[in-house]
Amino acid sequence: LGLDDVPTGLGERIAGREARGLVVARSAAAATPDRLPGALLRALTQPAGRDEGPGALTDLEVLVVDDHPVVRRVLRRLLTGLGCRVTCAEDGESALELATDPEEAFDWVLLDRRMPGLDGIATAARLREAVATREARIALLVNDAADDPGSARLFDHVLVRPQRPDALRSLLALTLSDGRRREKARFSVTADEELSELRDETLREDLAGLRRAHLRGDGETVAERLHRMEGALRLCPEARLRRALEDLEHALDRDVGVSEKLDEFAERLGVVREPGER
């Protein structure tokens, strides 16, 4: 049964089932309350994007720790869509403040691997002893398998972020539900104007920092800035910027043509440089 005024997310899921062969008999919304079982009616009236089916993760308290505002916002959307209750921290120090609150109790912690100050590994070690996260399961989020620290003592899972937000959503669902089989829901993070503006703002900031770090030969800061840019474009994709970042990474690896690739990326972001600026 499909309704004309269902939430957008539910409408998309119904359309997806139809594309795979499900026959949907549609009726007017006013006629449904007398004909639908209560459980189905409750499911149909959930807010768009919520997954309240069998195995939904509505009872999980999740702490997300990431220094990038785009990543935090997208992870909140993905996890809230799964039914989790989400708290975000922008760095390891903020996470530890939350973890020492006796009124808090987290089931899961999702930690970014690379953060300024306390990185994911150092933060995890402290969270293992904190009152609100002592019993939590901890997943380390990395952009590349090479970032896996191989520490089973600290982490229950190490998750390599997929290139697509919908794939990450499925991965999070499987992980947080302890591997129980779940239906793959059609889901995407819409690159809305507000999120895209936030992504581009942080990319401009990181690009400027990367340029300065490269000029002074600071390889550690270059790697940190690339990590942030990679994370933003992984979770809020833009194909042209993604290709420009890959070109920049290749130039940095070879240490050839870096200035040109920095300028190309800046141009795609609409960054205007003053004459004579290095």
Side-chain angles (χ1 to χ4, degrees):
L1 176 67
L3 309 180
D4 292 335
D5 59 346
V6 296
T8 301
L10 179 59
E12 291 176 351
R13 291 198 290 274
I14 290 173
R17 304 301 188 275
E18 287 183 282
R20 295 197 293 274
L22 177 68
V23 176
V24 177
R26 301 181 180 276
S27 72
T32 59
D34 295 333
R35 298 163 51 186
L36 290 181
L40 179 56
L41 185 60
R42 285 193 297 275
L44 288 172
T45 55
Q46 290 296 329
R50 295 280 290 189
D51 180 356
E52 299 289 353
L57 309 177
T58 54
D59 58 339
L60 290 184
E61 293 281 353
V62 181
L63 173 61
V64 171
V65 189
D66 199 295
D67 65 308
H68 204 297
V70 171
V71 175
R72 291 197 303 274
R73 186 171 299 188
V74 173
L75 285 174
R76 181 187 288 277
R77 288 189 185 185
L78 293 172
L79 291 164
T80 301
L82 288 168
C84 301
R85 295 185 292 273
V86 183
T87 303
C88 291
E90 63 183 10
D91 52 33
E93 290 82 356
S94 300
L96 290 173
E97 287 184 19
L98 291 166
T100 55
D101 184 348
E103 299 298 319
E104 296 281 6
F106 294 103
D107 301 293
W108 277 89
V109 180
L110 302 183
L111 270 175
D112 184 30
R113 169 69 170 86
R114 298 178 183 271
M115 296 184 293
L118 290 175
D119 66 4
I121 297 174
T123 301
R126 304 269 295 274
L127 291 176
R128 285 295 185 196
E129 306 300 323
V131 61
T133 51
R134 190 175 298 138
E135 303 299 324
R137 305 192 71 177
I138 300 179
L140 187 69
L141 295 174
V142 299
N143 287 341
D144 188 277
D147 274 341
D148 185 347
S151 178
R153 181 183 67 84
L154 284 179
F155 303 104
D156 298 283
H157 297 275
V158 175
L159 304 181
V160 179
R161 292 186 181 104
Q163 292 285 354
R164 301 190 325 277
D166 57 337
L168 177 58
R169 193 256 192 189
S170 296
L171 179 62
L172 291 172
L174 287 169
T175 302
L176 271 61
S177 58
D178 291 333
R180 291 194 299 268
R181 292 183 61 85
R182 292 175 55 84
E183 178 184 5
K184 287 186 178 180
R186 296 173 72 250
F187 184 88
S188 63
V189 175
T190 302
D192 55 52
E193 184 176 353
E194 181 183 0
L195 186 58
S196 296
E197 288 179 357
L198 179 60
R199 176 200 63 203
D200 292 351
E201 178 185 340
T202 61
L203 286 174
R204 285 190 285 270
E205 175 187 330
D206 288 324
L207 184 66
L210 192 157
R211 190 188 294 273
R212 292 191 296 269
H214 178 256
L215 285 173
R216 65 176 181 266
D218 183 352
E220 182 177 349
T221 300
V222 167
E224 290 176 356
R225 293 292 184 171
L226 281 176
H227 172 76
R228 282 173 53 89
M229 296 167 74
E230 166 78 17
L233 286 171
R234 191 177 290 263
L235 293 186
C236 187
E238 167 58 57
R240 294 188 311 120
L241 292 174
R242 175 74 249 177
R243 289 192 296 270
L245 182 60
E246 290 172 353
D247 290 344
L248 175 56
E249 288 173 330
H250 292 155
L252 286 164
D253 286 341
R254 300 189 304 271
D255 198 21
V256 175
V258 175
S259 295
E260 290 81 357
K261 295 305 178 184
L262 284 166
D263 289 342
E264 287 179 13
F265 197 96
E267 183 179 354
R268 295 195 182 188
L269 273 175
V271 176
V272 178
R273 300 178 64 195
E274 295 296 330
E277 180 185 356
R278 295 189 62 193

